[in-house]
Amino acid sequence: FADVYYRAAGLAALIIEENSNAADDLDDGFCTEERFGNIISFWGERGMGKSSAMLSFALFLKKYNHNIEDRFRLKTGKKPEFYVLPRIDAAMLVKGEYLLDIILAKMWNIFEEQMYDGLKQDGKLNETKQHFGNVKKSYEAYRKAVSGEEKYEMTSVRQLRELSKCLNLKEDFKKLVESFLDCTLKHNGEAGFLVVAIDDLDVVVDDVNSILEQIRLFLSVPKVIVLATADYGRLFLDCNKSFSDRLICKENIDYIETRQIRGYSEKYLAKIFPSNLRVYMPRINVEGALDYSVRLPEGSNLIGG
């Protein structure tokens, strides 16, 4: 699996460099926000080891030491440091539960532990707590807007800024990530990143498109690296069904229309998981798999007694 880790390490370095370049842009994010890619996806069929590869790479980032020279060292201008959140099993999400719910809950639990441990008893803790409060407020407004419960009653022109619920939540989350990293990292590096590992996207039972939209809308922000695993074929079928349910009707049942919808599904997945940021697993333990030879050290005890 060395090629898998070489590829993943190279992509992580690319994302770090993109972050550095975006910070130096003169357009204040106008042209960089939409093209910012930060999702490293591991693709393979069931049993090909994509979850194991993703989790071991996440552990590599968690323990990363830029002072150690090894073959997987990240070649970046700035020395990176990572805070890796515990793995998120996408298959455990129930209907109506948001991916952002899990991420924010994990971040708060970590922050609360550090707060009670008395770590960094200064203004940074209060500042981060304030950012959690801002995210809570904008998240509540966003959920109400999505569910249709919100009432538009404005008493001041200043409330116009609150109309963009999605944008407000994304901006508040971006600020929270930066403050959270400032509190939790040891500052052994020059650039901090929050790593979110999402496993088994392809086995989500209810509305996988909703989870993909949350990744696209809220996690494609600076200082965040997303690791994800999925079976492309299964994920494509889910997306194609979602598009078909919305677009196919008695007027749109010809072969040309159905083929068009399949094209929409491919482009949608390419938008969220760009091809240049994908890691494909070697074909092991599947039909038509390749044969591999493994040489064990002499006298090793790897195979039974």
Side-chain angles (χ1 to χ4, degrees), residues 76-263:
T76 59
K78 292 185 177 180
K79 299 173 182 177
E81 187 178 2
F82 307 95
Y83 195 97
V84 181
L85 291 181
R87 163 186 172 268
I88 297 174
D89 185 354
M92 297 291 290
L93 291 171
V94 299
K95 191 171 184 179
E97 188 175 26
Y98 277 48
L99 180 63
L100 207 55
D101 295 346
I102 309 299
I103 294 172
L104 291 173
K106 290 180 182 294
M107 290 176 68
W108 174 256
N109 287 339
I110 293 164
F111 172 74
E112 197 172 35
E113 286 177 9
Q114 298 210 358
M115 188 167 57
Y116 286 140
D117 287 342
L119 183 64
K120 296 185 190 240
Q121 289 292 349
D122 52 30
K124 289 182 180 179
L125 284 173
N126 291 330
E127 182 181 335
T128 304
K129 192 173 183 179
Q130 181 63 46
H131 284 300
F132 271 109
N134 293 340
V135 168
K136 176 182 178 294
K137 182 179 178 182
S138 56
Y139 194 28
E140 287 175 344
Y142 172 78
R143 292 293 294 263
K144 284 183 180 180
V146 169
S147 63
E149 298 176 5
E150 187 179 36
K151 297 179 181 179
Y152 289 95
E153 297 178 358
M154 289 184 284
T155 58
S156 168
V157 71
R158 293 181 179 179
Q159 291 178 274
L160 288 172
R161 74 179 66 178
E162 300 176 6
L163 290 178
S164 181
K165 302 298 185 296
C166 181
L167 180 60
N168 291 341
L169 177 54
K170 185 173 184 176
E171 288 298 317
D172 285 338
F173 180 69
K174 189 190 304 183
K175 293 174 184 176
L176 171 62
V177 167
E178 188 168 354
S179 185
F180 176 83
L181 290 173
D182 201 24
C183 277
T184 54
L185 291 179
K186 298 177 181 177
H187 299 286
N188 294 325
E190 300 170 326
F193 292 86
L194 179 71
V195 179
V196 180
I198 307 171
D199 199 13
D200 286 337
L201 276 169
D202 53 293
V203 296
V204 174
V205 177
D206 295 311
D207 198 9
V208 68
N209 277 66
S210 174
I211 297 175
L212 296 181
E213 274 297 282
Q214 292 168 54
I215 295 174
R216 184 180 72 85
L217 292 174
F218 303 119
L219 298 187
S220 295
V221 296
K223 298 192 176 183
V224 172
I225 296 178
V226 179
L227 308 178
T229 68
D231 178 337
Y232 183 86
R234 170 64 189 274
L235 209 56
F236 174 82
L237 291 175
D238 279 323
C239 290
N240 197 59
K241 180 181 183 303
S242 177
F243 279 112
S244 298
D245 290 343
R246 283 182 284 160
L247 300 176
I248 289 184
C249 59
K250 62 181 180 180
E251 291 82 12
N252 295 333
I253 57 174
D254 291 339
Y255 172 73
I256 295 177
E257 279 83 14
T258 54
R259 185 178 178 183
Q260 220 174 357
I261 290 172
R262 292 177 66 86

Side-chain angles (χ1 to χ4, degrees), residues 15-33:
I15 292 171
I16 293 166
E17 288 299 297
E18 285 269 332
N19 270 264
S20 299
N21 296 335
D24 297 333
D25 277 340
L26 299 177
D27 59 13
D28 198 26
F30 182 77
C31 294
T32 59
E33 191 72 21

